[in-house]
Amino acid sequence: MTTTADEKRLNPLVKIAQSRRLQSLTILGLFVLIFAVFAVLSPSSFLSQTNLEGIGLSASQVLILGAGVTFLLIAGGLDLSVGAIIVFSAVVAAKIMAGATAALEGADRLGWPLWGPVVGGALAGIAVGTLWGVFNGTVIVKTGIPPFIATLASMTVILGLAQVWTNGLNVSGAPSELQTVFGLGRMFGVVPWPIVIAAVVVIVLWIVLANTRFGLRLYAIGANPESARRAGINVGRYTVAVYALVGALAGLVAVIDVARFTTATVNGYSAIALNVITAVVIGGTSLWGGRGGMGGTIIGSLIPATLTSGFVILGLQPFWQNVAVGIVLLLAVAVDQYRRRKLSAQ
Amino acid sequence: MSESESAAAAAAASSGSRNGAAVPALKVTGVTKSYRHVQALRGVDLEVRPAEVHALLGDNGAGKSTLMKILAGAVSHDHGTIEVNGVEQNFAKPADAQAAGIETVYQDLALAPSLSPGENLFLGREIMRKGLLGKLGFVDRKAMSEAAVQQLQQLGARTPTSHVEVEALSGGQRQAVAVARASLWGTALIMLDEPTAALGVAQTTSVLDLIRRLRDERGLSVLLVSHNLPDVFAVADRATVLRLGENVLTTDIADVTSTDLISAMTGGRSLGDTAEASASAHADAPTTPKDQS
Ligand SMILES: Nc1ncnc2c1ncn2[C@@H]1O[C@H](COP(=O)(O)OP(=O)(O)OP(=O)(O)O)[C@@H](O)[C@H]1O
Ligand SMILES: [Mg+2]
C-alpha cells in the first residue's frame, strides 16, 4: 500500500501542521511576557483593579467583534463594514431610547414605562445590525463580488445613510438610568457589565466553533467551498449566516456603547474593523480561510489594550502600541504564508 | 442496505453476472445531452455489472466527464433513462445520486485541505453526539475519527487519520482518503475520474489496489474514467469506449489489446480488430455498439 517513502515525507509536514498550535502558544507566551514585564516594572499601578478593568473594558469591543470575525475569516470571508454597522445600529438604538425618555419627561421614570423602550431600542439595534449582515452576505453570495470590495462598498453606504439620517451629528438623550445601572454598572457589584457580556459571547461562540456541525462546516467552506458544495453543504446559506452573526455582534457593541455614553457617536469607529481583523489574525486565524480558533483571538484582542495601558503607566507614548501591534501582525501573516507555501509545495 | 448485505448481494450477483442474469448495478439507456449547439452525448448506452470495475474510455471531448456529471447528479440529461440496481432514477441534484448509492471521486479530489481525514470522510454527513448535545448541533469527533481509522484500515491505506491536515498528506494518501470517503457512503457505484493522473508509480499501484478492494471486498461496482490504458488493463473487467458522444465499443478487457481500444477511441484504421471486439461485446452484453448510419 502507501510506501514508506510516503510516511517519511509526511513527518516534517506533520510538524508544519502542528506548528499552528505552536503559533497560538507563541502568541500566548508573548502576551504573558508583556504582562509580566509591566507587572514587574510597575506592580502597584499596572496590577491595580482599575487598570485591569480598563484593559478589559477597552478590549471588550474588539473581543466581541473578534469572536464573530474569527468565524468569518475561517469561513473565508472578510468584513470591512463592521464600524459602519455599529454607527447605524447605535443611531437606531439611541433614537428609540431618547424618544421614549423625552416622552416621559416629568413623569415617573422608574419601572417598565422606561425600561420597555430601552429594551426595545437595544433589541432594535441588534436586529438592524443583523439585517446589515444579512445584506452583506447576500450581496456576496448572489453577485460573487469579493468580500473586500463588497463590504468596502457597504461600509460607505451604511455610514453614509447614518450620516444623512443624523446630519452627521451624534444622537444623545438615552436615559441616564441605563448608564448607571448597566453601562457603568457591575454584575454583583464586582465585574463591569461590558466585560461580562464579552466573556459570555466569546465562551459561547468558542464552544460553537469548536464542537458543533456549524463550526466544522465553516472550516470546510473556508478551506475549499467547492468540496463543501459537493458534500451537500449549502455554502450560500452558511455564508449569509456568518455575516449575519458579525452584524448582530456589531449591533450588540453599538448598544453597549449607547448604554455607556447615553449617546450614539457617528464618527468614532473608522478603524475598528481593521483593529478587529488585526487581533484575529495575530491570534493565528488565517486570512485565507479554513484555519484558526477562538483561543488566539482572545489573546490577540488583549494585546493592544495591554500594551497601551502599560506604555501609559511607564510614561512612554501610548502610540508605540500601534508600532508593536503592526510588527506582530506582519510576523503572524508571514508565518502563515510560509506554512501555506510549505504545505502546497509538496 | 448495510455493508454486509450489499457485499452479499454483490457476491451473489457477480457469480451470476457472467451469464448476464444479474440486475446491473447501473444501466444507462439512450442518454443524450446538449449544451446549446454542442451535442456532448448523442445517445449513450452503458451497463455496469455488480462488483465489476468498468473502464470508461474516450478521446478528449468524447463525453466522459459529461456522462459522469449526469450520473453524479451535477448535470441533468435531455433524454434517456438511468437505472441503479434495477430502479429508474431521476437525479435533480447531487444528493439524489448519493441517495441512490452513487459516490463520485472528482479529478480535483474535492477534499477540504485544512480538515483531518476523519473530518473529510464525514463532511456533510457528520456523526452527531447522542441526546440533547446532538440536538444542539454538537458533532461526535471521536466516533468520526474511529470510523475513519477503521475505514482506511479496511481499504489497506496507511494514512494517518487524526491530528493531521489532509493538506499534509501525499497525493496518493489524499486519493486514498477520497476513495475511502466514496466507499463509506456508496452502496451501488463508485465513479473515479482519472484517479491516478497526478500520481507516481508507487502511489498509482496503491490506488489501483484500493480499486480492486472496493470490488473484491466491498462488492461495489466501479466506473473508472481513465486515459491510462496500462491502468485499465491492470484493474478493469470490462470497458466501454465513447467517441463523439456515442458508445462505440463495449468489451471484456480480456478480449482486447490496447491497439483495439485506441482505434476505437480514435476511430482509427485497424477496423478489423474493432469489429472483432465489437462482436465479442455483442455476444456478451446488451450494451452493444450503436449502429452508426
Ligand atoms: N458546460 C459545457 N458547455 C458547453 N459545452 C460543453 C460543456 N461541457 C462539455 N461540453 C462539450 O461537450 C463535449 C464533451 O465534453 P466532455 O468534457 O464530456 O469530454 P471528455 O470526454 O470528458 O473529454 P476530456 O478527456 O478532455 O476530459 C465537448 O465537446 C465539450 O466541449
Ligand atoms: Mg473530462
Side-chain angles (χ1 to χ4, degrees):
Chain A
M1 200 39 242
T2 21
T3 60
T4 47
D6 273 354
E7 274 156 22
K8 278 201 197 109
R9 199 142 64 108
L10 185 67
N11 276 331
L13 290 159
V14 170
K15 283 191 196 122
I16 292 171
Q18 283 166 347
S19 70
R20 177 155 301 274
R21 214 159 286 145
L22 200 69
Q23 182 174 345
S24 302
L25 289 178
T26 310
I27 204 75
L28 177 62
L30 184 67
F31 175 68
V32 171
L33 184 74
I34 292 168
F35 200 89
V37 167
F38 289 139
V40 168
L41 290 180
S42 178
S44 55
S45 331
F46 185 75
L47 292 178
S48 71
Q49 198 199 345
T50 324
N51 189 55
L52 293 181
E53 255 178 42
I55 292 175
L57 279 173
S58 69
S60 63
Q61 268 189 355
V62 175
L63 263 173
I64 292 172
L65 297 167
V69 169
T70 304
F71 277 57
L72 185 61
L73 291 195
I74 284 173
L78 189 75
D79 191 348
L80 298 177
S81 71
V82 170
I85 297 179
I86 294 176
V87 171
F88 197 97
S89 303
V91 168
V92 169
K95 287 225 181 230
I96 292 174
M97 294 181 191
T101 311
L104 285 170
E105 208 54 61
D108 176 14
R109 286 175 48 142
L110 296 176
W112 279 109
L114 179 68
W115 290 116
V118 165
V119 171
L123 291 179
I126 295 171
V128 163
T130 311
L131 286 178
W132 278 124
V134 170
F135 172 79
N136 278 335
T138 309
V139 167
I140 288 162
V141 169
K142 293 287 176 213
T143 65
I145 295 172
F148 178 88
I149 299 297
T151 60
L152 183 65
S154 70
M155 173 186 88
T156 313
V157 170
I158 296 167
L159 189 61
L161 286 174
Q163 287 165 330
V164 168
W165 191 9
T166 61
N167 289 316
L169 302 172
N170 291 350
V171 180
S172 57
S176 55
E177 286 89 340
L178 178 61
Q179 193 179 36
T180 31
V181 174
F182 178 77
L184 302 179
R186 289 153 188 276
M187 188 177 75
F188 309 132
V190 186
V191 191
W193 279 111
I195 296 180
V196 174
I197 292 176
V200 169
V201 165
V202 166
I203 289 169
V204 168
L205 290 183
W206 193 346
I207 292 171
V208 168
L209 183 63
N211 296 295
T212 68
R213 179 163 62 191
F214 183 75
L216 181 61
R217 288 181 172 183
L218 291 184
Y219 282 94
I221 290 168
N224 183 353
E226 193 51 40
S227 77
R229 215 166 275 127
R230 285 173 183 170
I233 294 170
N234 189 336
V235 173
R237 221 171 60 197
Y238 277 80
T239 305
V240 173
V242 84
Y243 279 96
L245 172 68
V246 171
L249 294 174
L252 177 64
V253 164
V255 169
I256 293 173
D257 269 11
V258 170
R260 281 175 79 185
F261 307 113
T262 70
T263 298
T265 318
V266 178
N267 298 311
Y269 298 95
S270 52
I272 188 125
L274 295 177
N275 289 343
V276 171
I277 293 169
T278 302
V280 173
V281 172
I282 284 180
T285 294
S286 175
L287 268 174
W288 291 274
R291 298 188 170 90
M294 204 62 89
T297 296
I298 296 172
I299 311 290
S301 307
L302 288 172
I303 284 179
T306 308
L307 283 175
T308 305
S309 97
F311 288 149
V312 169
I313 285 171
L314 294 183
L316 296 168
Q317 285 207 50
F319 306 118
W320 281 111
Q321 177 265 124
N322 294 330
V323 179
V325 168
I327 290 170
V328 176
L329 174 64
L330 215 55
L331 287 176
V333 175
V335 169
D336 190 20
Q337 202 163 23
Y338 171 78
R339 184 169 22 223
R340 283 166 42 83
R341 287 232 186 85
K342 254 292 171 31
L343 278 172
S344 56
Q346 50 100 35
Chain B
M1 192 178 345
S2 81
E3 257 169 42
S4 57
E5 273 175 319
S6 76
S14 64
S15 63
S17 68
R18 289 288 154 197
N19 53 40
V23 177
L26 173 76
K27 188 168 187 210
V28 171
T29 315
V31 162
T32 63
K33 173 71 188 175
S34 295
Y35 293 107
R36 290 177 181 275
H37 305 295
V38 186
Q39 188 147 23
L41 298 180
R42 298 163 188 268
V44 170
D45 297 336
L46 171 69
E47 188 182 291
V48 181
R49 295 169 183 167
E52 80 165 355
V53 176
H54 196 112
L56 185 61
L57 303 168
D59 212 349
N60 297 118
K64 306 182 294 293
S65 295
T66 303
L67 183 58
M68 264 196 70
K69 284 177 197 155
I70 288 169
L71 294 173
V75 162
S76 60
H77 60 285
D78 301 333
H79 300 286
T81 59
I82 297 168
E83 284 172 42
V84 179
N85 287 330
V87 180
E88 189 169 341
Q89 299 283 350
N90 253 316
F91 301 145
K93 55 184 187 298
D96 296 344
Q98 293 177 345
I102 299 180
E103 287 289 324
T104 310
V105 177
Y106 293 91
Q107 188 167 3
D108 50 355
L109 281 181
L111 297 173
S114 63
L115 299 191
S116 73
E119 290 164 341
N120 264 290
L121 250 58
F122 287 92
L123 185 58
R125 292 175 277 211
E126 299 82 358
I127 301 179
M128 306 304 287
R129 293 275 290 266
K130 296 209 170 59
L132 180 66
L133 283 179
K135 290 212 178 68
L136 287 174
F138 282 59
V139 292
D140 193 339
R141 280 207 157 77
K142 190 154 158 275
M144 289 196 279
S145 175
E146 284 168 4
V149 171
Q150 200 192 359
Q151 183 73 7
L152 283 159
Q153 268 173 1
Q154 278 174 9
L155 288 171
R158 266 193 246 126
T159 301
T161 42
S162 43
H163 308 303
V164 182
E165 298 180 1
V166 158
E167 190 154 24
L169 302 179
S170 71
Q173 288 174 325
R174 281 185 225 176
Q175 194 64 265
V177 171
V179 172
R181 179 186 156 84
S183 67
L184 180 61
W185 301 107
T187 53
L189 180 73
I190 310 289
M191 296 193 292
L192 301 147
D193 195 358
E194 300 274 358
T196 61
L199 302 182
V201 178
Q203 299 192 338
T204 297
T205 312
S206 38
V207 168
L208 295 182
D209 260 359
L210 227 55
I211 293 173
R212 286 192 198 95
R213 279 171 200 253
L214 293 181
R215 173 189 63 194
D216 299 339
E217 291 171 19
R218 297 296 174 84
L220 290 167
S221 303
V222 176
L223 186 63
L224 173 68
V225 175
S226 182
H227 275 113
N228 187 319
L229 290 181
D231 281 5
V232 169
F233 279 99
V235 291
D237 301 307
R238 296 200 304 149
T240 292
V241 178
L242 295 186
R243 187 167 74 230
L244 303 173
E246 283 174 301
N247 49 307
V248 292
L249 172 66
T250 294
T251 175
D252 273 6
I253 282 294
D255 298 341
V256 284
T257 64
S258 52
T259 322
D260 299 333
L261 293 178
I262 290 168
S263 66
M265 283 158 70
T266 57
R269 272 158 288 148
S270 47
L271 284 170
D273 294 348
T274 314
E276 217 174 279
S278 302
S280 83
H282 257 289
D284 189 65
T287 39
T288 53
K290 292 185 78 74
D291 185 10
Q292 294 179 304
S293 50

